[in-house]
Amino acid sequence: IKFLIFYLNIYLFIFLFINFVDKTHKKEIMHKQASNLRKKHRHIKNNLLTDEYIYTGDRKGEMHIYLTQYDADNYIQHSFTSPEKLPALIQNGKKNWIHISGLSDTHTVALIGKTLGLHFTDIQDILTSQHIAKIETYEDKTFLILNTFYYSENKELQQEHICIIMGKEYVFSFQESDLPLFDNIEKAITQNTARVRNRPTDYLFCLLINNVFSNYLDIIATLEDVLGTMEDEIITGNPRDDFGNRIQANRRDYLQLKKSILPLKDDFNKLIHNENKLICDEDMIYFNDLEDRMLFIIQSIEICRETQASLLDLYFSNNDLKMNEIMKRLTVVTTIFIPLTFVVGVWGMNFKSMPELEWQYGYLMAWGLMGIIGVWWYIKKQHWY
């Protein structure tokens, strides 16, 4: 019995040690993942001490320029890689949508920006992939920076830098890659869906922003589905082993979404006030609807944050309950064997004058006493009295 208690204590020590090492190892992995994420986003190099334009992202694909020119009756599409032909193709009296995919060619981006009359800092903002979302209104143009998101094949949240510039008869959109984010708008122009070609450029500007906001809603819906699955795992009491890593990954995704959309909450008033009069009065209702969608996105992100906090609390509570249950079982086993250890210890002293040592039925009496103690403990455990 003494050896059994000794081995039980050894088992408890080994179990607690392995559990501690496992938690420490998981924390190290999560710390490394967070560190790699911070290093990935630490790309901002543009500053006011140099006149050099630097693209701070990591997408080095070839630049493509697409021109979609339309009016109420016709539309024309052009595709080219050099911006020299662009000024000659843009026509007054028509709507001109110029979409640039790929920002690694900083010379071309700077040339287009100077053609639009952009300030040096605005061109830097276009090339800074991790720039904060913002809206700037000038006398003849509106300058918008925001981000879009999508999940990669390995289920990691990817961020892409978007810049949209609206003038009286043109809209320029800059994108880091050739992700088909605005293909549905191009199709709508081609088919003149909802008479989009009859509307001014501010409506096209609204459609581009709406596409980005719709993308946010898709990402949030995916995030909510993942959180719902994790909540079911917690409720059923059978969470996966990587539950902690998954909740931390979702927390990082939430922080990325919040950091990207929250700055627009105050800046969006610049569009609503419409000081440069680039938005028609009859189209202002669409921008008010955009503001509502933006507020709904922010609210949904905050709900995700609360859900994550609740799941994390439930996860730690479940771990504590499991640990308490294990400790309870070990305590029960120890409680059973403590009186039995006392009994065998009494008859293990081997004093010469102990009368039980010479008794023929002493061994059976010792076993009977230990059996009575065990039965008594079982009856008390079952609350039979």
Side-chain angles (χ1 to χ4, degrees), residues 266-278:
D266 296 327
D267 274 10
F268 212 85
N269 289 327
K270 297 178 181 179
L271 288 181
I272 303 301
H273 291 161
N274 193 25
E275 295 180 354
N276 54 15
K277 303 301 180 183
L278 290 178

Side-chain angles (χ1 to χ4, degrees), residues 23-218:
K23 288 184 176 180
T24 304
H25 179 64
K26 289 181 178 179
K27 287 181 179 179
E28 290 179 355
I29 293 176
M30 292 163 58
H31 177 73
K32 289 181 180 179
Q33 291 176 346
S35 178
N36 292 334
L37 186 64
R38 288 193 296 268
K39 290 179 180 179
K40 179 181 178 181
H41 290 167
R42 199 177 299 156
H43 292 309
I44 298 179
K45 300 177 183 178
N46 284 321
N47 57 68
L48 299 179
L49 298 178
T50 176
D51 57 355
E52 183 180 1
Y53 295 105
I54 302 174
Y55 168 57
T56 63
D58 53 5
R59 293 178 172 87
K60 304 297 183 180
E62 184 180 359
M63 172 181 283
H64 295 279
I65 304 174
Y66 304 93
L67 169 63
T68 302
Q69 190 176 85
Y70 61 92
D71 54 21
D73 300 319
N74 302 296
Y75 74 94
I76 301 175
Q77 293 178 319
H78 299 278
S79 175
F80 42 91
T81 57
S82 177
E84 284 78 8
K85 300 179 181 179
L86 190 58
L89 291 174
I90 295 179
Q91 297 182 18
N92 295 329
K94 293 188 177 183
K95 295 88 169 178
N96 301 274
W97 174 27
I98 300 92
H99 179 69
I100 298 96
S101 64
L103 302 178
S104 58
D105 188 350
T106 58
H107 173 73
T108 301
V109 174
L111 183 60
I112 295 174
K114 292 175 181 178
T115 303
L116 293 173
L118 295 179
H119 191 269
F120 170 77
T121 57
D122 290 334
I123 300 175
Q124 280 190 329
D125 293 345
I126 295 175
L127 295 171
T128 303
S129 62
Q130 297 299 325
H131 198 282
I132 187 173
K134 71 170 188 176
I135 297 175
E136 296 289 348
T137 55
Y138 300 104
E139 183 178 354
D140 59 341
K141 66 179 72 68
T142 297
F143 183 84
L144 168 66
I145 286 181
L146 69 167
N147 299 295
T148 187
F149 294 89
Y150 61 93
Y151 280 105
S152 61
E153 294 180 357
N154 55 355
K155 304 301 180 181
E156 290 184 358
L157 188 65
Q158 302 294 324
Q159 178 176 324
E160 185 160 352
H161 181 61
I162 302 291
C163 178
I164 306 174
I165 304 169
M166 176 184 66
K168 187 176 181 180
E169 294 182 336
Y170 65 82
V171 173
F172 278 77
S173 56
F174 295 84
Q175 185 179 346
E176 284 190 274
S177 70
D178 55 356
L179 183 73
L181 182 62
F182 303 125
D183 281 5
N184 60 330
I185 299 178
E186 182 179 349
K187 183 179 179 181
I189 294 174
T190 303
Q191 300 177 355
N192 199 20
T193 305
R195 299 178 61 83
V196 64
R197 295 207 299 257
N198 297 70
R199 300 178 181 271
T201 54
D202 60 356
Y203 187 72
L204 173 61
F205 183 66
C206 178
L207 290 177
L208 295 174
I209 301 174
N210 183 70
N211 254 37
V212 177
F213 284 176
S214 297
N215 196 51
Y216 270 95
L217 293 174
D218 292 340

Side-chain angles (χ1 to χ4, degrees), residues 238-289:
N238 188 29
R240 285 165 40 181
D241 294 336
D242 61 343
F243 187 92
N245 292 337
R246 289 158 61 205
I247 196 68
Q248 287 290 16
N250 279 276
R251 180 176 176 273
R252 288 194 297 269
D253 294 347
Y254 148 77
L255 291 175
Q256 276 189 271
L257 292 171
K258 181 178 180 180
K259 184 176 68 174
S260 296
I261 191 66
L262 194 59
L264 290 179
K265 184 177 181 180
D266 296 327
D267 274 10
F268 212 85
N269 289 327
K270 297 178 181 179
L271 288 181
I272 303 301
H273 291 161
N274 193 25
E275 295 180 354
N276 54 15
K277 303 301 180 183
L278 290 178
I279 302 176
C280 301
D281 293 337
E282 57 269 22
D283 288 340
M284 187 57 66
I285 188 173
Y286 300 113
F287 288 89
N288 290 328
D289 182 67

Side-chain angles (χ1 to χ4, degrees), residues 347 354-366:
W347 281 289
M354 290 180 65
E356 295 87 353
L357 296 179
E358 303 296 333
W359 188 25
Q360 180 179 359
Y361 301 105
Y363 181 72
L364 293 177
M365 185 201 71

